[in-house]
Structures are given as structure tokens and as C-alpha cells.
Amino acid sequence: MSIAEMEARELELDPTGGGLWHDAFQRLRRSPAAIVGAVMIAILLFLAIFAPLIAPYSPTEQNLDAIAAGCCPGPSREHLLGVDDLGRDELSRLIYGARYSLLIGVVAVTIGLSMGLLLGAVAGYFRRADNPIMRLMDIMLAIPGFLMAIGIVALFGQGGLLQVMIAIGVVNIPIFTRLMRGSIIAQRDNDYVLAARSVGVPNRKILGSHIVPNAISPVIVAATLALATAIIDAAGLGFLGLGPQDPATPEWGTMLTNTVRYLQTAPFLAIFPGIAIVIAVMGFNLIGDALRETLDPKLRGRT
């Protein structure tokens, strides 16, 4: 048997690769950090989806008799995590709050990611558009993100979750734009791009069908990590009174708004929503870090 035949047989016996994302998924399945993060987020998603079936009480139901003897009694048999200053069950509000906090994070990051991908791809591939787009991004990055979010909410007017999601999404646009631009620049002069140009493939198709799929990996990782930041920003806006204007809305940041006066007498009102925020943020951070290690060739050996 010749050497060529032996090499051909070895190639036939080797398992065929499933692509970058398939390999990344296989490595994620073996990553303890990714598993722990996925379990955390899965629990929160389960609570958010089945909140009406899991929550023991309505999140807006007031029971003034529960606070007749004093404000905010602690955990008891009837209320496992206690009640707030209006007699509303804290556990039920936390469960329903997962809906609002996860929704804000996902929608806000989607807004920032979609605009960032578009602007970054145009700036990275078309050199004439690079300078004006990136100067605009530099101006946005010069303003502290949380301060910009406060200004955007004030600009649109305080009215509900939509303003919060738009504000946090706009803050994330320059981050995704810069990442996408850098990835596009690293890919636009590769051999496969030059080959596509030589056979007359339109620039729009080269960018959308060839370059973007190969350049989007770091942006997806950043989006996963940005979910955690978006939840923190939403909680911060809610704590400042810039979140949902209905105080009965069981959003984790809004739940923290009126807890300052009760920190000495009922600290659990701040502790339990804080723990929920920490769990959500830690879950997304663990998944994002594991995804970065699986997609970065320099870090794959650590997974």
C-alpha cells in the first residue's frame, strides 16, 4: 500500500469536524463554568416562564394585616421570604421579577447588538464610512455609560420598561461597533475575500455572506457578557427611580428603591433582590467567559 493510500485511509477514519460553533458547543459541554452558568440561567428562565404556577401569591396583592404589628415582618411559614412594606409577598415578587429583569437584559442587548453589528460591519469594510462612524462612537464612549443611560431615559421621559431597554441598548452600541469593526478589518484582506472579489462577487454579498460569519465570534461573546451588565444597569436605573413608574412592578431594581429606610429593621428586603441580581449576573458571566475560552484559539487549552 502506498503512502498516499495510507493517508487517504486515515482521513476517511478521522471524524469530520462540525465547524467552529459545533466544536465550541462540544467544548462548552465539558466546561464546568459553562455548566454552572447554564444551570443558573436555566433556573431563572424556568421561574420567569412558569411564574404564575410557582409563585404562592400575586406579586401585587397587598396584605396590610401582615404588617399590622410592625413593618415588614421577616420570613415565616406563610411567607418564606417575608413581606415588604405593603404586605406583598417577597418571594412572589422575586419570581415575577425574573421576567422583567431578563426581558430588559435580552431586549437591550439585542438593540445594541443589532445596531453595533450593522455600524461595525459598514465601518470595517467600507473605508469611506469608517471615519465618521468611529468618531461618533468615540463621542459616545467619552460619556460614562450609566450617565448616558440616565440622560436617554430623561430624554424619552419616564414611562416604563421600553425607555430603560432603549437606553441600555444605546449605551452598548459603541462597544459592539468597535469589536465588529476590528474583526471585519482582520478579515477583509484575507485570501477568500480577495478570491471573491476577483470573480466579481458584490461587496454586499462578500460582507454579509463571507466576512460577517467569520468575524462575529468575539461580538457574540461580548453580547453574552453584556447581558450581565444590562441587568445591573436596569437594576441601577430602577433603584434611582428611573425604571418602571408603577411601584407595584416586581422588577428587582425597583424592589430595591424603597429598601433604604428599612435596612436596619428589615434588611432582607434588600438582600434577597440583591442575591437574585448576583445570581443572574454570575450566570451570564460564567457562560460568557467559557464561550470566550472556547472561541479564542489562545485560550482553548484552558477549557
Side-chain angles (χ1 to χ4, degrees):
M1 181 181 295
S2 64
I3 297 177
E5 292 176 349
M6 293 177 61
E7 292 180 349
R9 176 169 297 184
E10 289 178 358
L11 291 175
E12 291 178 359
L13 294 176
D14 288 339
T16 57
L20 174 64
W21 291 103
H22 179 269
D23 295 341
F25 177 73
Q26 296 299 324
R27 286 190 291 271
L28 279 176
R29 293 176 57 185
R30 299 189 296 268
S31 172
I35 294 173
V36 173
V39 169
M40 290 180 175
I41 300 304
I43 292 174
L44 293 178
L45 287 175
F46 178 81
L47 294 177
I49 295 173
F50 298 101
L53 302 177
I54 299 174
Y57 301 95
S58 169
T60 59
E61 179 184 353
Q62 300 181 12
N63 182 14
L64 299 181
D65 294 335
I67 58 175
C71 177
C72 315
S76 62
R77 181 178 301 177
E78 293 79 13
H79 303 281
L80 297 180
L81 298 183
V83 296
D84 62 5
D85 56 335
L86 295 178
R88 295 171 297 195
D89 184 66
E90 190 76 0
L91 176 60
S92 300
R93 291 178 62 79
L94 282 176
I95 293 174
Y96 275 89
R99 286 185 166 187
Y100 292 94
S101 296
L102 293 179
L103 177 65
I104 290 174
V106 171
V107 175
V109 171
T110 300
I111 293 173
L113 180 62
S114 58
M115 292 300 299
L117 288 178
L118 177 62
L119 294 175
V122 173
Y125 189 76
F126 300 100
R127 290 176 171 83
R128 292 183 179 180
D130 186 18
N131 191 57
I133 291 177
M134 296 315 299
R135 298 296 76 76
L136 177 61
M137 296 300 106
D138 290 340
I139 294 173
M140 296 179 66
L141 287 173
I143 305 173
F146 193 70
L147 181 61
M148 180 185 292
I150 294 176
I152 294 173
V153 172
L155 177 65
F156 285 102
Q158 303 178 24
L161 298 176
L162 180 60
Q163 287 81 354
V164 175
M165 292 185 290
I166 293 175
I168 298 175
V170 171
V171 169
N172 284 311
I173 288 177
I175 300 174
F176 295 134
T177 300
R178 292 178 67 90
L179 283 174
M180 192 62 188
R181 171 184 175 271
S183 297
I184 293 293
I185 291 176
Q187 296 286 335
R188 69 184 179 188
D189 293 326
N190 284 346
D191 292 340
Y192 70 90
V193 178
L194 298 177
R197 289 174 183 167
S198 65
V199 297
V201 179
N203 285 329
R204 182 176 59 183
K205 188 173 183 180
I206 293 175
L207 180 61
S209 301
H210 299 283
I211 298 181
V212 171
N214 289 286
I216 201 173
S217 299
V219 187
I220 297 299
V221 175
T224 307
L225 296 172
L227 285 169
T229 306
I231 293 176
I232 295 176
D233 291 342
L237 291 174
F239 178 76
L240 294 176
L242 298 176
Q245 293 307 293
D246 184 2
T249 302
E251 194 269 327
W252 291 338
T254 305
M255 292 173 63
L256 292 171
T257 303
N258 297 323
T259 60
V260 176
R261 69 185 74 175
Y262 304 117
L263 286 178
Q264 298 295 329
T265 58
F268 65 89
L269 293 179
I271 293 175
F272 292 137
I275 292 176
I277 295 172
V278 169
I279 292 174
V281 171
M282 185 178 297
F284 284 118
N285 278 334
L286 289 174
I287 294 176
D289 288 339
L291 187 60
R292 177 174 59 88
E293 291 177 356
T294 57
L295 293 176
D296 191 341
K298 298 179 181 178
L299 300 177
R300 286 178 186 175
R302 300 182 185 178
T303 305

